[in-house]
Amino acid sequence: MNPGQDSRGNPGQDSRGAAIDLRSISKAYGSFKALDGVSLHIKAGEFMTLLGPSGSGKTTTLNVVAGFTEASSGALEVGGKSVVGVPAHKRNIGVVFQHYALFPHMTVSRNVAYPLALRGVAGAERERRVRQALDMVKMADFGHRFPSELSGGQQQRVALARAIVFDPPLLLMDEPLGALDKKLREWLQLEIKRIHRELGTTFVYVTHDQEEALVLSDRIAVFNRGRIEQIGTGRELYDEPATLFVGKFIGDSTVLRGAAAISGGETAIEIAGQKVATAKRLANGGSPVMLLRPEKLTLARRGADGDGRNRLTGRIGEAIYLGSGSKYEVDLADGSKAIVRSTLEADNFAIGDEVEVLFAGADVKLLADDDKADLTLT
Ligand code: ATP
């Protein structure tokens, strides 16, 4: 392997991997649409994560790219060439699944050598590449062991070595850390990130864990019911969610619903008799949803000075000490809950305390209710 060069010898980290282009991919099982017009462009060398709840279509998408599932319609290109109709074993793609499918009767070295043997790589070259791949996943001392003599995390590292040993331009991973405990998962996430950086290959990674997606990815595609809701960096998805679904799926959020009142250039929303002003303007009436991130909310005792900010009254429903601060759930007058995070020593509230939640209009995200997309924002 020549990190930093692609098969044509062009330098540059990105050029080692293959770009992937999915255009209007659909997959139907009878009348059920597992995928409904999925379009996604993945750049060469990019770490793209497919994120979404169970059953949203992530694995089906990965399987279509791998060639394990045939799409009902749509176009798919890998490295600029259509692979529609090309069988999986001819696509030259590395794959790692949640359940390590290592061959139990083969040693670690023979497992990793297997894809090379299939490709006719033999002798000293095969040995050299097996050693290099095991070095990459820090398993060089385990070549003689059998899979049953390894921990779950070690088996996954071997599976990863086996997937990269033939230097594929694309690596697909489906919940590879799903069966491991939290500490090991967090450590392996950083290892996978390092390996991606060193290889420069395109990685496509499936998870339902939003924190994992944020740690790993250059960009994230958020899936919901067989469609992609939004594609962006973790920061873009967190700061500017395009839909309520994305806003709620990435990070903690407070969601408030109310009746909109538009006057002059300003939109105010009435929630439980209290007016909340936002910096955004609604072009029509509709039923907007307000989304607020926990770090944008401040807690105060009732009647404290709010500096002209919006204020909603409520009562502490839950107080969770996190070590680095506290997280509070506030039961608001209209029955909704606000999630507030605070690192201030002074914010030492107890369950039942009467409080006010303060926030600036500029920090409010106005979104359409998922089931009633009737909003036009200006
Ligand atoms: P998970 O995180 O649970 O793996 P996912 O987002 O990967 O979920 P998929 O495995 O892609 O979801 O499944 C999408 C939908 O397609 C699900 O509702 C699933 O039941 C359905 N599905 C998948 N394979 C088949 C099949 N062979 N026959 C019928 N329905 C299927």
Side-chain angles (χ1 to χ4, degrees):
M1 286 180 262
N2 282 316
Q5 293 207 317
D6 73 0
S7 54
R8 295 176 304 278
N10 294 327
Q13 202 221 342
D14 282 359
S15 59
R16 275 183 64 77
I20 321 293
D21 217 3
L22 295 102
R23 286 197 296 276
S24 302
I25 296 279
S26 292
K27 175 67 188 174
Y29 292 106
S31 61
F32 175 72
K33 278 196 169 172
L35 294 181
D36 187 7
V38 166
S39 293
L40 177 62
H41 180 77
I42 304 170
K43 294 177 223 160
E46 189 168 31
F47 199 124
M48 171 68 78
T49 295
L50 315 184
L51 174 71
S54 182
S56 57
K58 311 175 299 285
T59 296
T60 305
T61 303
L62 206 72
N63 284 340
V64 166
V65 175
F68 301 142
T69 298
E70 204 182 326
S72 308
S73 61
L76 169 64
E77 287 182 1
V78 176
K81 291 199 190 84
S82 173
V83 293
V84 174
V86 178
H89 67 276
K90 296 226 166 115
R91 293 194 186 184
N92 203 33
I93 293 172
V95 183
V96 184
F97 291 113
Q98 177 171 353
H99 294 289
Y100 4 87
L102 296 176
F103 304 116
H105 58 289
M106 289 185 191
T107 62
V108 163
S109 288
R110 282 195 57 214
N111 262 284
V112 176
Y114 188 77
L116 297 174
L118 283 184
R119 288 166 174 78
V121 181
E125 173 64 5
R126 181 151 91 196
E127 270 178 40
R128 186 188 68 77
R129 287 171 73 168
V130 168
R131 214 177 321 114
Q132 196 174 31
L134 285 175
D135 267 345
M136 177 73 84
V137 299
K138 301 193 178 145
M139 287 294 287
D141 297 337
F142 294 80
H144 59 285
R145 295 241 195 133
F146 284 91
S148 61
E149 298 167 339
L150 301 176
S151 71
Q154 290 168 337
Q155 290 186 45
Q156 270 316 53
R157 278 147 68 197
V158 175
L160 189 53
R162 192 178 57 177
I164 62 176
V165 72
F166 59 98
D167 211 6
L170 170 61
L171 187 69
L172 306 178
M173 287 189 268
D174 193 349
E175 306 253 7
L177 310 181
L180 308 176
D181 70 58
K182 191 169 184 311
K183 272 262 174 284
L184 188 57
R185 214 164 55 222
E186 286 172 355
W187 178 67
L188 280 174
Q189 284 167 5
L190 297 180
E191 285 291 289
I192 288 173
K193 229 171 132 80
R194 171 185 61 81
I195 290 166
H196 173 253
R197 222 172 17 243
E198 289 179 13
L199 288 179
T201 300
T202 310
F203 277 35
V204 185
Y205 192 100
V206 163
T207 183
H208 61 268
D209 179 343
Q210 50 108 9
E211 279 179 38
E212 182 160 289
L214 291 175
V215 169
L216 288 171
S217 324
D218 293 320
R219 286 190 305 156
I220 299 167
V222 183
F223 278 70
N224 183 26
R225 294 196 228 144
R227 292 165 177 262
I228 295 179
E229 295 248 340
Q230 191 173 359
I231 304 164
T233 63
R235 189 179 293 274
E236 284 165 354
L237 298 177
Y238 187 80
D239 288 345
E240 294 301 332
T243 65
L244 181 58
F245 177 85
V246 173
K248 288 199 293 193
F249 203 78
I250 309 268
D252 281 333
S253 54
T254 297
V255 176
L256 304 169
R257 288 181 166 80
I262 309 165
S263 64
E266 193 184 65
T267 297
I269 293 171
E270 201 169 297
I271 296 169
Q274 291 172 276
K275 277 223 168 17
V276 172
T278 76
K280 280 234 169 136
R281 284 181 305 152
L282 277 181
N284 61 11
S287 44
V289 177
M290 296 170 55
L291 186 125
L292 284 150
R293 294 305 189 186
E295 65 280 3
K296 304 291 188 193
L297 302 179
T298 307
L299 278 184
R301 308 269 167 205
R302 284 272 170 94
D305 181 12
D307 293 332
R309 282 176 291 179
N310 289 302
R311 54 172 72 211
L312 292 171
T313 55
R315 190 190 299 262
I316 301 283
E318 192 64 79
I320 302 158
Y321 179 64
L322 298 172
S324 56
S326 293
K327 183 162 135 176
Y328 297 101
E329 262 185 36
V330 182
D331 296 323
L332 298 173
D334 71 336
S336 53
K337 279 188 198 309
I339 311 287
V340 187
R341 214 164 25 226
S342 174
T343 52
L344 297 178
E345 198 52 45
D347 283 359
N348 196 5
F349 295 97
I351 292 174
D353 281 0
E354 303 276 346
V355 291
E356 288 186 344
V357 179
L358 308 174
F359 55 95
D363 291 329
V364 173
K365 314 227 167 295
L366 271 189
L367 295 165
D369 219 336
D370 271 345
D371 299 323
K372 302 177 239 159
D374 59 354
L375 272 200
T376 312
L377 299 175
T378 58

